[in-house]
Amino acid sequence: MLSQNFLFRGIDEPLPEMLSLRAGPLTMLFDNGDLRSVCLGEREILRRVYLAVRDRHWGTISAALSNLRIQLNQNTFTIEYDIRNRRDEIDFAWHAVLSGDSDGRVTFSADGEARTTFEKNRIGFCVLLPAALSGQLAQVEHVDGTREDAFFPLDLCADQPVRPFEDLRAVCIPLGPLGNATVQFTGDTFEMEDQRLWTDASFKIFCTPLALAHPVQIQAGTHVTQQILLSIAAPPDIARVSTHRDEQPLRLALPPDEAWKPLPWLGLNSASHDQPLTAGEIEQLKALHLHHLRVDLPLADPEVPKRLERAKLEAEALKIGLEMALFISADKAHAELTTFRHLLNALQPVVISWLIYPAIEMYAGGSPIAQVLAAAREHLADFIPGAPFAAGTNMDFIFAKHTPPPTDQIDQVCIAFNPQVHAFDDLSLIETFEGQAMVVESARLLGRGLPVVVSPITLKPRFNPHASGPQGVTPPGALPPQVDPRQRSLFAASWTLGSLSALAAAGAASLTCFETSGWRGVIERSQGSPWPDSGAALPGIAFPLYHVFADVGEFAGGQAAALTPSGNQSISSLALRLGSRTTYLIANQTSSQQAIALTGPAKNCLVRSLNAANAEFAMRSPAAYRNTPFTQITSPVLTLPPYGLIRCDLAL
């Protein structure tokens, strides 16, 4: 028996809790040392404030909180605690004080000390401003005391910093009739980057300008002292601004015709564990009605023939084509492609698209995309006439912004992302839905209207594109850095549905997600090895997100529409239709029970649930779960248990 916490989030630890705080008219949340969702009424002012230690590879060192002391009053609070950031040779300790007063002033102070000598890229506060500020006016105050007006960028901005948000002492944000909010920074020089480039739905103000040399060595005993001060200038009656959250059920209705878009084609990555799929695994994956299988082929790798042959056999067994991701050395492009073409002629795989990447992408720009793309077209265009060529980036979208693909040589723009470049908690992952849609829209602009292919989507980064050297090995009993234990959870299923909904609404043409099998897949291997973090062997199970793909796959070739507004952080949902069939997929993204009110034709529908009560059955016996009869609802109000999912088939 799997525990409820394991089913919720893939780990047996208790669910994290947040503490609600109030400072006069401001409301906010305290989340394990971080300040989140600072709001004036319904207006979000700050998304998050937190302390970060970034190593020489830009890795974020996890924090352990201790000695927590909390004093709460009706409109004020004071919280003190200690934080320890430790990994390998890095050991840094903070003492933090967070306070809020009845006038709406929030002060976040921290004094830190290096306990060891190590190399770092950044240490200190990060302040996230909501992406909803895009296009809005602010006033910035620089460290020299000068002030100027500044607009938050509309399109995703790859400039670092985003000018004139540099050399910052303060930022003042107009709030319309609510007045304005000012954020002040002391203890270092701050600047801003556009985190939407990494699917974070925020603008990040951080300390230590990127123009300074990094990494730098910090000596044991060095102190870092910083402070963030938020204040509001508001009308006298601001205390009457409503902070009430509507507790009525979220109402879902059949989307209007203009909201529907073609459902993106769905595919999976071939498994990184390099073991072939078994006959049983093939049968499980056939139920997903996939469109394609992605195979990554670094043409300089001698394992390419073996890898391509395995992918060809798996795609044939699944009766789908290959999305061929080729990584080509710029200085050996023609030699590598000549050899590869001979291999293609011998194996004759069915290729539905070519994703062309240089073997090395350059962060600051100048990646040889045009060079390798021209060579690829010369050698491959006649192999499968009409198969589209795509280029963009296999890394974070900022790489494509720094080196845009040549739109006259491609048929599609391809991008890749994961939701954990900067933050790793559940809420931060959910917040990326909004950012994912923004990346697709910006990629479409970059490609001058060409279709956008998102490949691959993974829950964690596949590699660190900014690493400056070896990063060590995974310690015994720990998961590899590419693996998230939530992959096997109901949370991951809910996140997957939210991601598919956001990307479908943004008009993405094709999506490639996760892997076929293994720790990063949709099913565990038939001879699955124990997960090192828990010791649990789960051979042959289907992770809960498998059932999201199975439900969506039934509507391949159909249409999709988002049901909930962008930015919703409690419910993810997707409407699907194909011919005369229409269904709603709805997921609870929280640890609390949620109510959903169905309106119109949806009031008369058949439902099937997936939640902690039956998730283990659905994981161990996916075919039997999918054959479970639907039930007729007796009330238009549906109750979603924590992290629960519901499929509603409408009788139109």
Side-chain angles (χ1 to χ4, degrees):
M1 293 291 291
L2 302 177
S3 71
Q4 179 174 266
N5 287 336
F6 186 98
L7 294 170
F8 283 164
R9 302 179 63 252
I11 51 179
D12 283 318
E13 298 173 4
L15 295 173
E17 295 183 2
M18 297 190 191
L19 177 66
S20 296
L21 304 174
R22 183 159 190 144
L26 296 177
T27 60
M28 64 212 74
L29 298 170
F30 179 73
D31 178 17
N32 196 38
D34 297 353
L35 190 64
R36 305 191 78 127
S37 303
V38 181
C39 295
L40 181 60
E42 298 296 321
R43 175 68 182 265
E44 185 180 30
I45 300 173
L46 302 182
R47 176 146 290 185
R48 187 181 177 205
V49 184
Y50 63 99
L51 289 160
V53 176
R54 306 289 296 274
D55 67 17
R56 68 186 314 272
H57 306 294
W58 289 108
T60 300
I61 310 303
S62 59
L65 186 145
S66 62
N67 301 323
L68 180 63
R69 297 177 293 281
I70 300 174
Q71 294 180 351
L72 293 181
N73 294 304
Q74 184 176 1
N75 290 304
T76 65
F77 63 85
T78 301
I79 301 175
E80 290 192 52
Y81 53 96
D82 296 322
I83 297 177
R84 199 76 174 268
N85 303 96
R86 281 190 285 190
R87 188 173 69 199
D88 300 328
E89 77 281 5
I90 295 174
D91 188 352
F92 196 89
W94 299 95
H95 179 72
V97 180
L98 176 61
S99 64
D101 66 24
S102 57
D103 292 327
R105 288 168 54 93
V106 177
T107 305
F108 202 163
S109 303
D111 181 71
E113 181 184 1
R115 300 292 180 88
T116 58
T117 298
F118 58 90
E119 288 188 317
K120 60 90 177 181
N121 283 346
R122 179 182 302 152
I123 294 178
F125 276 113
C126 293
V127 178
L128 306 189
L129 305 177
L133 289 172
S134 173
Q136 295 189 30
L137 176 68
Q139 186 182 73
V140 299
E141 180 181 347
H142 300 292
V143 293
D144 62 3
T146 60
R147 299 180 182 182
E148 62 178 310
D149 289 341
F151 285 92
F152 290 94
L154 280 170
D155 186 26
L156 278 59
C157 180
D159 294 340
Q160 291 183 294
V162 176
R163 293 176 174 82
F165 294 89
E166 58 188 328
D167 298 328
L168 294 177
R169 178 186 292 172
V171 176
C172 181
I173 304 167
L175 304 176
L178 299 178
N180 58 62
T182 300
V183 188
Q184 296 173 283
F185 317 94
T186 58
D188 201 341
T189 300
F190 287 74
E191 62 187 26
M192 189 182 85
E193 70 180 11
D194 191 342
Q195 281 207 141
R196 299 176 299 171
L197 291 158
W198 294 271
T199 73
D200 303 78
S202 58
F203 300 97
K204 180 170 72 176
I205 297 176
F206 56 87
C207 62
T208 313
L210 288 169
L212 298 179
H214 55 271
V216 297
Q217 190 176 80
I218 183 169
Q219 296 292 325
T222 302
H223 276 260
V224 176
T225 302
Q226 295 180 8
Q227 178 177 280
I228 305 296
L229 172 63
L230 168 66
S231 59
I232 59 171
D237 61 350
I238 196 65
R240 293 201 296 270
V241 171
S242 174
T243 57
H244 173 69
R245 299 292 187 268
D246 188 2
E247 299 299 331
Q248 295 299 313
L250 182 66
R251 299 174 67 84
L252 298 182
L254 196 66
D257 286 341
E258 61 269 19
W260 293 89
K261 295 183 179 180
L263 177 65
W265 296 114
L266 294 182
L268 297 173
N269 283 279
S270 54
S272 56
H273 55 66
D274 286 336
Q275 297 300 312
L277 295 171
T278 66
E281 292 164 1
I282 290 289
E283 288 306 307
Q284 281 185 299
L285 293 171
K286 280 183 178 179
L288 305 187
H289 303 284
L290 298 170
H291 175 257
H292 60 269
L293 177 69
R294 169 170 163 149
V295 56
D296 285 22
L297 300 174
L299 296 191
D301 189 337
E303 293 293 309
V304 163
K306 177 182 175 183
R307 191 175 300 176
L308 177 57
E309 183 174 13
R310 183 174 64 249
K312 170 187 181 280
L313 294 174
E314 291 177 350
E316 288 176 346
L318 293 168
K319 301 185 181 337
I320 57 178
L322 288 174
E323 180 180 74
M324 200 83 77
L326 305 183
F327 300 85
I328 305 168
S329 304
D331 59 341
K332 300 177 181 177
H334 289 286
E336 290 178 355
L337 286 161
T338 296
T339 301
F340 183 63
R341 180 57 189 264
H342 291 318
L343 179 63
L344 291 175
N345 292 340
L347 293 178
Q348 290 294 308
V350 175
V351 181
I352 63 160
S353 63
W354 306 98
L355 310 186
I356 306 301
Y357 309 105
I360 299 175
E361 290 190 58
M362 301 177 186
Y363 176 78
S367 297
I369 294 176
Q371 181 180 342
V372 299
L373 184 58
R377 276 196 171 276
E378 178 183 339
H379 288 268
L380 304 175
D382 64 343
F383 180 71
I384 301 284
F389 282 77
T393 182
N394 185 53
M395 301 187 188
D396 304 315
F397 183 55
I398 194 170
F399 282 81
K401 293 287 281 188
H402 284 159
T403 307
T407 55
D408 59 336
Q409 296 185 50
I410 58 176
D411 309 295
Q412 301 171 330
V413 176
C414 58
I415 58 176
F417 59 68
N418 75 88
Q420 296 192 72
V421 175
H422 298 113
F424 323 108
D425 59 281
D426 295 356
L427 181 55
S428 293
L429 268 65
I430 291 166
E431 290 171 350
T432 65
F433 301 151
E434 193 178 358
Q436 291 175 31
M438 293 174 180
V439 168
V440 170
E441 291 162 2
S442 187
R444 188 179 295 110
L445 286 174
L446 194 69
R448 300 182 181 181
L450 289 173
V452 177
V453 171
V454 187
S455 177
I457 302 166
T458 54
L459 205 55
K460 289 194 75 175
R462 293 164 289 147
F463 50 86
N464 182 353
H466 308 292
S468 57
Q471 300 176 73
V473 298
T474 303
L479 288 169
Q482 302 87 357
V483 178
D484 191 319
R486 289 171 291 190
Q487 185 88 17
R488 54 197 175 183
S489 71
L490 287 165
F491 171 82
S494 174
W495 185 89
T496 299
L497 179 60
S499 178
L500 296 181
S501 177
L503 296 171
S510 176
L511 309 175
T512 304
C513 309
F514 308 124
E515 297 181 1
T516 52
S517 67
W519 293 344
R520 298 155 66 184
V522 298
I523 58 176
E524 181 55 285
R525 296 163 57 192
S526 299
Q527 289 80 37
S529 58
W531 287 65
D533 66 321
S534 65
L538 305 170
I541 70 161
F543 300 136
L545 55 80
Y546 168 94
H547 294 290
V548 174
F549 285 105
D551 285 333
V552 175
E554 291 183 25
F555 291 81
Q559 294 179 303
L563 287 168
T564 47
S566 175
N568 184 286
Q569 296 178 1
S570 59
I571 297 294
S572 56
S573 59
L574 180 64
L576 301 163
R577 69 183 183 188
L578 179 64
S580 61
R581 300 171 57 211
T582 300
T583 197
Y584 290 173
L585 302 179
I586 310 166
N588 183 354
Q589 295 167 172
T590 74
S591 59
S592 302
Q593 182 173 285
Q594 302 283 334
I596 302 294
L598 302 178
T599 63
K603 290 189 295 185
N604 302 307
C605 66
L606 299 171
V607 302
R608 182 176 64 203
S609 301
L610 178 63
N611 53 60
N614 64 349
E616 185 166 358
F617 166 65
M619 294 166 72
R620 297 192 185 276
S621 305
Y625 165 77
R626 301 203 62 76
N627 288 325
T628 301
F630 285 62
T631 59
Q632 179 77 46
I633 64 171
T634 58
S635 167
V637 177
L638 302 177
T639 299
L640 272 71
Y643 302 111
L645 295 90
I646 292 181
R647 171 173 169 170
C648 305
D649 285 2
L650 278 59
L652 298 178

